[in-house]
Structure formats: C-alpha cells, structure tokens
C-alpha cells in the first residue's frame, strides 16, 4: 500500500502538486516526501527573488548528503531524513 494507506493503483492516474506555503527547501522536501510530484512557489518571490535558486540548491545538497540519487526516490518516501 502507498503512503497514508492509499493504494498505489491510483499513482498513474493522478499526480499531486503542492502550492502555497513553500518558502524554503525544507518545505519543498516535506511536500515531496508526502507524495507531491511537484511544488510551486509564488508569494515568497516578493520577499526573496532568489528563493527558487535557494530551494534547488538546498534540495540538491540534501539529496547528496542523504545519498539519494534522484528526486523521484525522495517523492512519496514517507521519511524525512536529517534536515
């Protein structure tokens, strides 16, 4: 069974995207781990126009530190390692 007890039979039918409340790489990682296939940022750009670069850099460093070789392996893993 998939994350939160839902079966994986729906995985190919639907993709989750998270928008709102993403302001740092940790927020993005949490949403990906919870099953989102994509995250969107918006409002944070008003206060930090470099947020997309910071999020990408943070996620990249996190994946390297945890020896995860692709973002797909992070998605729906259900487990946040050390942030």
């Amino acid at each position: 069974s998939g994350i939160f007890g839902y079966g994986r039979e729906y995985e190919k039918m639907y993709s989750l995207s998270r928008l709102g409340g993403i302001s740092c790489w940790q927020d993005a990682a949490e949403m990906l781990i919870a099953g989102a296939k994509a995250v969107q940022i918006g409002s944070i750009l008003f206060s930090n126009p470099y947020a997309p670069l910071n999020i990408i850099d943070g996620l990249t460093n996190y994946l390297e530190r945890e020896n995860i070789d692709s973002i797909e392996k992070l998605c729906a893993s259900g487990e946040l390692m050390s942030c």
Side-chain angles (χ1 to χ4, degrees):
S1 81
I3 192 164
F4 305 122
Y6 293 102
R8 297 245 181 223
E9 63 270 15
Y10 298 109
E11 189 171 307
K12 292 187 171 115
M13 295 172 56
Y14 303 102
S15 291
L16 299 176
S17 177
R18 168 62 192 221
L19 55 130
I22 306 294
S23 60
C24 62
W25 73 265
Q26 292 94 333
D27 295 336
E30 287 176 5
M31 296 305 112
L32 294 168
I33 289 166
K37 298 291 183 191
V39 294
Q40 299 176 31
I41 58 171
S43 299
I44 189 65
L45 293 170
F46 291 112
S47 62
N48 181 4
Y50 296 103
L53 299 175
N54 296 338
I55 291 169
I56 290 169
D57 287 344
L59 283 172
T60 300
N61 291 335
Y62 175 73
L63 293 174
E64 288 174 359
R65 187 175 66 242
E66 297 298 329
N67 294 317
I68 301 171
D69 60 7
S70 72
I71 198 78
E72 290 81 14
K73 289 185 180 174
L74 182 66
C75 294
S77 66
E79 184 177 333
L80 185 61
M81 287 74 167
S82 58
C83 283

